[in-house]
Amino acid sequence: MCLGIPGQIVAITDEPRMMALADVSGVRREVSVACVLDRPIGDLVGEWALIHVGFAMALIDADEAAKTLEALRDLGEAQEALEAMEEGAKALEADA
Amino acid sequence: MKYASEFRDPKAARAVLARIATVADQIGATREKPVHIMEICGGHTHAIFRYGLDKLVHEGVEFIHGPGCPVCVLPMARVDECVEIAKRPEVIFTTFGDAMRVPGTKKSLMQAKADGADIRMVYSPLDALELARRNPGREVVFFGLGFETTTPSTALAIQQAACESLSNFSVFCNHITVPEPIKALLDDPHMVLDGFIGPGHVSMVIGIHPYDFIAQDYGKPIVVAGFEPLDLLQSVLMVLEQIRDGRAEVENQYSRVVPEHGNPVSITAMADVYEKRPSFEWRGLGEIDASGLRIRAAYAAYDAEEKFGVGYAAGPRHVPEPEGCACGQVMTGRIKPTACPQFGKGCTPEMPLGALMVSSEGACAAYWQYGGARATEAAE
Ligand code: SF4
């Protein structure tokens, strides 16, 4: 829960709510970019961010993202984060 | 266990290890008289064991595992209160999966769910918000848990709920802060701590200056560190060099992610939504002044404690730890997990008695998984 996982911002989904779609190790998930909005929101597309419980918390470079992902995979944290994302999606589906 | 072969850059790791050894020798650190370095963050504890760093570094360096795992320090009474809220028929209780197995006095959230409570694991407070939007007839409660890394996300979710005037969303706020327990440990006359490894992702949010008091008031070095093995080794070296040079400073090893002054949006959101509680109970550590956050009166409509009249809103209460559990002593570095009478007997990851065995970031789970347990078994 405490470690962020790198994801790449691939699209803006809701500009007023500052929401974007991030690709985290092949899993796509909507995240808030409120904390890293230091430029026009559209310019975030293509950037890498450290994503923590659904929020992009810091922008990082691609090299750092790759290294961090590798470390998280070794620690088993990457898998945990991906499973948590899946659980989150399921929790929502239960009522859809 | 995987040793140096797994380092991304084994050559660099060996070079840092050699420098650690040199500086440790210069300080005169030995197995009998080691330098005690506390890694505050449970993520660091996990990484240290995963990569066997405790065995790779010079024998004069001893890691003390700090209280930096929010699941580990969650008091039983708070788990009981979660269950109490979750049991209400109108409530959908949402939580990070990490907290599901933490034992309460009667049950964990996992057991409460099996008994029929509508408890759902979410990845983000935003999932809880979405559930509230989709279920206007239900009360959606989010179990806000974690240090400063997680805290802003809950704050932003509350602000968003207020912005949309969602009336069926609230947060059971258990957010805690890193500096205060460190201060409590430093004030404890039984503790011997020579330096600290600071939690990188907390500092990504709050910056490095909230730790100034460690250097200035207590004269101890602290280095904010990343999570790769090399990050940790470099940080150990930086702490040792400060000790050797007679310096006590806050240094930032993880500057590629951690800005000196943190993340302004997060800091503003936290200040808007929360205020400090006079004191907050930590499992194993007891009440620590100003170490927990509660939701400000302006957002009382989103405070589950106010809404359901539980927790601190219902008055102070304390539940004693289970018989024979040594979580408190382990968490303050007084004993190693293997010295707890319950370790591997009444307490295993499958049947945890204490929270330090529940979370993969807990010291007891780390010992169990990466050596402690096997070492004990082999010895028996
Ligand atoms: S072994 Fe279990 S009871 Fe003992 S300190 Fe660790 S978590 Fe607590």
Side-chain angles (χ1 to χ4, degrees):
Chain A
M1 172 181 72
C2 293
L3 302 185
I5 183 165
Q8 189 172 29
I9 295 164
V10 292
I12 304 304
T13 50
D14 186 338
E15 188 167 341
R17 274 193 201 156
M18 296 177 273
M19 298 297 289
L21 196 64
D23 185 309
V24 182
S25 272
V27 175
R28 294 195 164 201
R29 140 107 220 180
E30 214 183 16
V31 300
S32 165
V33 292
C35 296
V36 294
L37 210 50
D38 61 348
R39 62 194 79 180
I41 192 164
D43 293 355
L44 286 173
V45 174
E47 291 287 334
W48 285 88
L50 209 50
I51 294 169
H52 182 70
V53 298
F55 288 76
M57 295 301 300
L59 294 178
I60 51 178
D61 63 36
D63 185 46
E64 170 67 21
K67 276 176 28 192
T68 305
L69 259 181
E70 202 184 324
L72 292 176
R73 277 198 197 109
D74 284 353
L75 282 172
E77 294 277 346
Q79 197 50 39
E80 236 172 70
L82 294 175
E83 278 164 19
M85 282 181 201
E86 215 170 280
E87 278 296 333
K90 260 196 265 164
L92 292 178
E93 270 163 27
D95 306 272
Chain B
M1 201 177 323
K2 309 187 181 181
Y3 288 108
S5 63
E6 252 212 9
F7 285 85
R8 228 131 296 124
D9 186 353
K11 237 168 82 197
R14 272 198 293 273
V16 180
L17 283 166
R19 285 170 63 196
I20 288 176
T22 306
V23 181
D25 284 338
Q26 287 168 343
I27 300 171
T30 60
R31 185 191 293 266
E32 290 70 38
K33 261 191 88 219
V35 173
H36 294 97
I37 300 181
M38 174 175 273
E39 86 280 1
I40 297 164
C41 168
H44 283 155
T45 304
H46 188 47
I48 285 167
F49 282 102
R50 177 69 176 77
Y51 298 109
L53 302 185
D54 56 322
K55 301 201 173 66
L56 284 172
V57 294
H58 184 277
E59 59 178 13
V61 176
E62 187 166 339
F63 289 107
I64 306 289
H65 319 302
C69 165
V71 176
C72 299
V73 297
L74 189 64
M76 282 201 158
R78 296 303 270 181
V79 178
D80 290 347
E81 283 150 13
C82 285
V83 171
E84 196 181 319
I85 298 173
K87 269 196 331 215
R88 301 170 81 103
E90 75 276 23
V91 164
I92 300 175
F93 193 84
T94 58
T95 172
F96 295 134
D98 309 47
M100 290 294 281
R101 294 189 320 121
V102 184
T105 39
K106 293 197 194 69
K107 31 178 117 162
S108 65
L109 283 168
M110 187 80 94
Q111 287 157 334
K113 184 178 164 77
D115 293 346
D118 191 349
I119 298 175
R120 304 190 198 179
M121 282 185 264
V122 290
Y123 165 65
S124 164
L126 297 174
D127 295 338
L129 259 191
E130 184 56 28
L131 271 173
R133 290 186 195 112
R134 291 188 193 184
N135 296 275
R138 305 279 304 274
E139 278 292 338
V140 176
V141 182
F142 177 68
F143 182 23
L145 175 68
F147 288 100
E148 290 89 336
T149 326
T150 323
T151 309
S153 57
T154 316
L156 289 158
I158 290 174
Q159 286 178 328
Q160 182 66 39
C163 180
E164 295 174 34
S165 306
L166 270 178
S167 61
N168 64 329
F169 173 79
S170 60
V171 170
F172 183 48
C173 183
N174 287 269
H175 288 296
I176 44 182
T177 53
V178 164
E180 288 72 18
I182 301 309
K183 191 174 177 310
L185 290 174
L186 283 164
D187 284 334
D188 180 340
H190 299 291
M191 293 296 298
V192 187
L193 295 170
D194 302 303
F196 293 89
I197 306 277
H201 288 159
V202 164
S203 283
M204 168 175 81
V205 171
I206 62 173
I208 62 169
H209 291 297
Y211 307 126
D212 285 348
F213 74 96
I214 297 176
Q216 286 165 10
D217 304 344
Y218 293 89
K220 309 280 181 194
I222 171 163
V223 175
V224 173
F227 293 85
E228 293 179 41
L230 258 181
D231 288 328
L232 283 161
L233 290 180
Q234 263 163 10
S235 304
V236 168
L237 177 62
M238 288 164 79
V239 169
L240 292 177
E241 284 174 342
Q242 286 200 41
I243 294 173
R244 179 197 60 194
D245 303 343
R247 289 181 291 129
E249 291 163 20
V250 185
E251 289 182 315
N252 186 3
Q253 182 275 337
Y254 200 30
S255 59
R256 57 188 199 274
V257 170
V258 169
E260 185 184 342
H261 296 287
N263 183 288
V265 177
S266 302
I267 292 171
T268 308
M270 289 193 290
D272 176 46
V273 172
Y274 312 109
E275 62 192 1
K276 296 226 150 172
R277 295 178 192 269
S279 98
F280 192 72
E281 187 194 345
W282 294 57
R283 189 186 287 241
L285 301 180
E287 296 275 341
I288 301 178
D289 287 352
S291 63
L293 300 173
R294 69 178 172 216
I295 296 165
R296 286 186 189 276
Y299 291 99
Y302 302 97
D303 184 348
E305 283 183 76
E306 294 292 333
K307 202 169 201 172
F308 302 106
V310 297
Y312 284 81
R317 70 281 158 277
H318 171 76
V319 180
E321 289 296 304
E323 193 65 30
C325 162
C327 286
Q329 279 164 285
V330 172
M331 226 172 325
T332 49
R334 272 171 230 192
I335 64 166
K336 295 284 178 208
T338 40
C340 170
Q342 297 290 350
F343 184 87
K345 300 184 179 82
C347 186
T348 63
E350 289 71 42
M351 287 290 286
L353 179 64
L356 297 183
M357 198 56 106
V358 175
S359 159
S360 63
E361 282 159 18
C364 296
Y367 263 70
W368 179 264
Q369 202 179 347
Y370 299 120
R374 278 172 219 127
T376 316
E377 277 163 8
E380 274 169 4

